[in-house]
Amino acid sequence: MIEKSPRVFGDFLGVCTPFAQTICIEKSVKMKPFMDKDFLLDTPTARHLYHDYCEALPICDYHCHLSPQMIAENYQFRNAFDLFLGGDHYKWRQMRTNGIDEEMITGSGDEYEKFAAFAKTMPYLIGNPLYHWTHLELKRYFDIDDTLSEKTCKKIWDICNEKLQTEEFRAQALITRSNVEVICTTDDPADSLEYHKKLKGFGTKILPTFRPDKAVEINKETFLPYIEKTGVKSYGELLSWLTEKINFFNENGCRLSDHALEYVPF
C-alpha cells in the first residue's frame, strides 16, 4: 500500500499506466460493501441518528398496493417471481423501458424467464430507487450479498425459492418481521372490506384507504360499466352512494383517501 498524501498519490497515478493505476487504487482504497447495515449512511451523524433513534421504530405505511386478501389468507409466495414481480407495476415499467417484451412482464411467459428478464434489467437501474430497494430486500430477508444480474439470476432464484417455502416467509410473518404497525391498503368504494374485518385480530393494523378513481374518471371506458354495476341512475344518486361508502369505510377504520389524477387543473 502506498503511504502518500492525496496530492502526491494523485501525481504518482498520473504517470502510471491504466493497469498500474488500477492496482494502486485497489491496494490503497478499502472498498465499502455495497449493501450492509450502514447503506446510504455515509457520515457518523447519519449512522448515529439511524441506529440510535430510528432503526427500532415501527413502520406506518399510509399507502401501498398490498392485497388485504393475501394478508388475511396468510399467502405463501410460489417463487421469487411471485414475490418480487407479481404485482409491482414500477418494476414492470422499467422492464418495458429496457425493451423487455410484454409476454415476459405481464404475459403468459415462464415465471423463471420473467424473473431473468428483470435480472437483465437490474444493472441498468443503478441510481434508481428500485435498484436500492431490491438489494435491500435480498440482503435483509434472504441474506444475499450478490447484486442481481443475468449472471447471478439462477443462484438468487434458487436461494429465494427455498426460503419462500418456509413459514417464516408467509405474508403475515413477513409483515410481523418487518415491524409494521399500520398498513393502509388501496381500496375501491364498492369493496366489502371483508378481509379488513377478518384481520382485526392481527398484530398489525390493516386499514382501508378510499380510492374512488373508477367512480370519477368519466372519460375512461371503464366508467359506465362501473356505474351500471353500482345501480346508480343519476348524479345525485352517485353522490349519495359515495357518501354512504365514505361513512362505511370510516366505520371500518379508514382515515385516508387516495386519488390518481392524470390531470390536475389549476
Side-chain angles (χ1 to χ4, degrees), residues 30 34 86 107 115 145 162 168 186 196 218 222 242-243 263:
K30 184 178 180 181
F34 165 61
F115 185 75
D145 292 307
E162 182 178 354
E168 290 78 10
T186 302
H196 295 83
I218 193 170
T222 55
L242 287 172
T243 301
Y263 170 70

Side-chain angles (χ1 to χ4, degrees), residues 185-241:
T185 58
T186 302
D187 308 284
D188 185 86
D191 197 299
S192 67
L193 305 184
E194 59 178 300
Y195 296 107
H196 295 83
K197 296 174 183 177
K198 291 180 180 179
L199 283 162
K200 286 187 177 180
F202 183 43
T204 299
K205 291 182 180 179
I206 311 296
L207 304 177
T209 298
F210 195 72
R211 178 77 175 251
D213 295 7
K214 293 179 181 178
V216 298
E217 294 178 336
I218 193 170
N219 292 320
K220 289 197 171 182
E221 294 181 357
T222 55
F223 178 75
L224 282 178
Y226 179 82
I227 295 300
E228 289 172 357
K229 192 174 181 179
T230 66
V232 167
K233 301 298 183 183
S234 69
Y235 178 65
E237 287 185 15
L238 176 60
L239 293 182
S240 296
W241 182 79

